[in-house]
Amino acid sequence: MPEILIRNADHILTMDDSRRELSGADLRLRDGAIVEIGSGLQSAGEVIEAAGCVVTPGLVNTHHHLFQSLTRAVPGAQDALLFGWLKTLYPIWARFTPDHMFASAQVGLAELALSGCTLSADHLYLYPNGARLEDTIEAARVVGLRFQPTRGSMSIGESAGGLPPDMLVEREAAILEDCIRVVDAFHDSSEASMCRVGLAPCSPFSVSRDLMRQTALLARDKGVMLHTHLAENDEDIAYSQEMFGCRPGQYAQDLGWVGPDVWHAHCVKLDAAEMALFARTGTGVAHCPCSNCRLGSGVAPVRAMRDGGLRVGLGVDGSASNDAGNLVAEARQCMLLQRVVSGADAMSAREALEIATRGGADVLGRPECGRLAMGKRADVAIWDVSGIEAAGSWDPAALLLAGPTTVRDLFVEGQPVVRDGQMVRFDLADAIARQNALARGLQAEM
Ligand SMILES: [Zn+2]
């Protein structure tokens, strides 16, 4: 595999174990890994000049529903709370086909890549009209991102007291069978893996307790991770107490849904005891600040989580509830929200970037990603700070205070994904045109 030398960066924020920051430094990549960091490095491979740039680890997105990038800003869902929002969107999603799944994933992943993301999870929990998990896996392969797709599911429809319409739910036996199929076909547990599959029933209000328990047993048997939505807002807590007679933390614990192989999205409403449970068990959290704002869910207690030793990563969440998918902007939002609640010293720009890089990588069980250090994977974002966003900045390395919201270059496993602000491996204009045509088609059928 060719070697790449990134040379003379103004700053390298390594996010390594001692959070080193280097000035006027170089980074050498070979065979998908980082082989050298320092000054005056030599290489026979391609040289990329990085003067005027800040270099960071690629950002990690721990929660998304890529298919939702086809249902942005849908009238009727623009101003609703979570449950009403879902009920507006379910019938539209029920018309999706494999083409919709591929196109939306391609555009969603490209948007993430342009915003510095090198590794993304995805939570696909509905499979209408022949859609399959591999529709999104193929999109990630085309875009070039490291991918952690999760086989989601819904099994309790409206007629059984659940939230989704009956036409969008699957039989539990069929769900478990397909979970086995996709893990066996696509999960790669190697350190350089470009695709690790997880299992992810949608939420406590759309699957049975039994499916939660069975899924956890299956995931542990297969050695894959578990993911779901938890404690997102007050409606969610009320549902848990009414239907299960307990809070979400207790529900998760009873069903085997805590541990270092589990991460929960949102957790806006976790109480102190639930945070202690998650810290004690190594359970991860995907914090989704924009989505929580957009749906009026509240502000997740990220300061308290971090202080209590919880593992926290960042997620843009689906594009029906953000509606953007810009991960570095999401990191800024994370920083700002903690300051709204706890004061200006509650979270620094560097800490928010840490959550967005090594924090997310650790949540996804990928400690070989999310930091720039010898032997780690060569997932690198290069930010041009010579433009207007950072003009006049005294500390361009404080990217989240004054810096660009798109990358100049992005490498995943040492391979170029973005160069000079453009997607390298496919024609983005074509993909956007196809995405818009599919969205118009869905709109026309309303
Ligand atoms: Zn979500």
Side-chain angles (χ1 to χ4, degrees):
M1 211 180 279
E3 184 169 298
I4 289 172
L5 178 65
I6 298 167
R7 186 162 66 187
N8 204 24
D10 285 7
H11 304 277
I12 298 182
L13 299 181
T14 65
M15 295 296 164
D16 67 6
D17 292 347
S18 36
R19 311 297 190 272
R20 281 187 310 151
E21 297 187 10
L22 310 175
S23 298
D26 312 331
L27 184 67
R28 195 157 62 87
L29 319 176
R30 191 178 62 212
D31 297 332
I34 294 163
V35 292
E36 204 174 4
I37 304 178
S39 297
L41 304 186
Q42 300 295 319
S43 169
E46 185 184 359
V47 175
I48 292 168
E49 296 295 343
C53 294
V54 172
V55 175
T56 69
L59 275 54
V60 177
N61 181 41
T62 59
H63 186 64
H64 208 328
H65 313 286
L66 289 163
F67 71 92
Q68 293 180 7
S69 68
L70 269 170
T71 50
R72 291 174 147 160
V74 169
Q78 289 184 11
D79 308 311
L81 287 174
L82 176 64
F83 283 15
W85 173 87
L86 281 169
K87 285 182 165 177
T88 303
L89 291 165
Y90 282 141
I92 303 172
W93 296 335
R95 299 206 306 276
F96 276 40
T97 67
D99 280 350
H100 293 88
M101 294 302 182
F102 175 85
S104 53
Q106 186 181 22
V107 167
L109 288 166
E111 187 181 17
L112 283 172
L114 291 167
S115 71
C117 175
T118 49
L119 162 61
S120 183
D122 188 45
H123 188 184
L124 180 56
Y125 52 80
L126 40 88
Y127 296 85
N129 309 306
R132 300 196 297 177
L133 191 67
E134 49 265 51
D135 302 326
T136 62
I137 292 173
E138 175 59 15
R141 196 190 58 75
V142 169
V143 174
L145 286 203
R146 213 181 282 284
F147 199 35
Q148 199 133 335
T150 59
R151 206 300 181 184
S153 52
M154 299 195 294
S155 65
I156 306 284
E158 258 173 336
S159 63
L163 203 65
D166 289 355
M167 63 182 167
L168 268 183
V169 304
E170 300 174 89
R171 285 187 308 109
E172 298 197 346
I175 290 167
L176 291 167
E177 217 169 89
D178 199 52
C179 286
I180 294 168
R181 181 186 71 82
V182 294
V183 169
D184 288 349
F186 302 109
H187 180 69
D188 172 6
S189 61
S190 71
E191 187 165 301
S193 173
M194 292 294 288
C195 181
R196 286 196 187 165
V197 177
L199 303 183
C202 184
S203 63
F205 52 80
S206 53
V207 302
S208 72
R209 291 174 70 100
D210 191 51
L211 185 65
M212 292 291 287
R213 193 179 284 111
Q214 293 299 329
T215 305
L217 290 172
L218 177 59
R220 281 165 183 140
D221 183 50
K222 292 282 185 187
V224 301
M225 292 190 72
L226 286 164
H227 182 48
T228 192
H229 294 99
L230 204 78
E232 181 164 350
N233 70 358
D234 289 330
E235 290 170 293
D236 199 351
I237 302 291
Y239 185 92
S240 182
Q241 278 171 331
E242 191 186 324
M243 297 297 283
F244 311 125
C246 65
R247 288 186 51 88
Q250 184 70 53
Y251 176 84
Q253 187 176 25
D254 289 350
L255 298 173
W257 275 76
V258 291
D261 55 350
V262 183
W263 85 105
H264 294 288
H266 301 304
C267 299
V268 173
K269 299 292 177 181
L270 286 192
D271 67 16
E274 290 170 319
M275 283 192 268
L277 168 70
F278 280 22
R280 200 165 62 241
T281 54
T283 308
V285 169
H287 172 47
C288 306
C290 287
S291 172
N292 297 155
C293 290
R294 164 76 158 74
L295 294 175
S297 301
V299 181
V302 174
R303 181 70 277 147
M305 289 178 182
R306 297 261 301 169
D307 291 345
L310 259 80
R311 300 189 306 155
V312 182
L314 201 62
V316 296
D317 203 358
S319 298
S321 68
N322 187 318
D323 296 289
N326 184 306
L327 193 51
V328 76
E330 197 75 35
R332 177 175 161 88
Q333 185 78 5
C334 165
M335 171 188 76
L336 294 177
L337 274 186
Q338 293 310 304
R339 291 172 177 221
V340 168
V341 173
S342 308
D345 59 353
M347 183 171 288
S348 70
R350 282 168 170 80
E351 184 180 6
L353 190 65
E354 178 181 322
I355 293 171
T357 52
R358 63 180 287 147
D362 291 350
V363 164
L364 295 185
R366 303 294 308 255
E368 63 279 11
C369 300
R371 56 272 274 164
L372 303 176
M374 291 273 291
K376 301 297 181 185
R377 304 320 302 167
D379 294 358
V380 183
I382 302 179
W383 309 85
D384 182 351
V385 292
S386 66
I388 193 161
E389 307 92 339
S393 173
W394 289 34
D395 180 13
L399 272 181
L400 303 186
L401 290 176
T405 52
T406 55
V407 290
R408 190 191 78 177
D409 304 302
L410 189 80
F411 295 87
V412 178
E413 192 67 6
Q415 300 288 325
V417 171
V418 179
R419 291 299 305 271
D420 293 325
Q422 305 296 320
M423 300 304 299
V424 171
R425 301 177 181 210
F426 66 98
D427 189 323
L428 182 60
D430 282 355
I432 292 172
R434 192 174 62 243
Q435 167 99 332
N436 281 328
L438 288 168
R440 294 294 87 80
L442 291 166
Q443 208 173 354
E445 291 169 28
M446 290 284 281

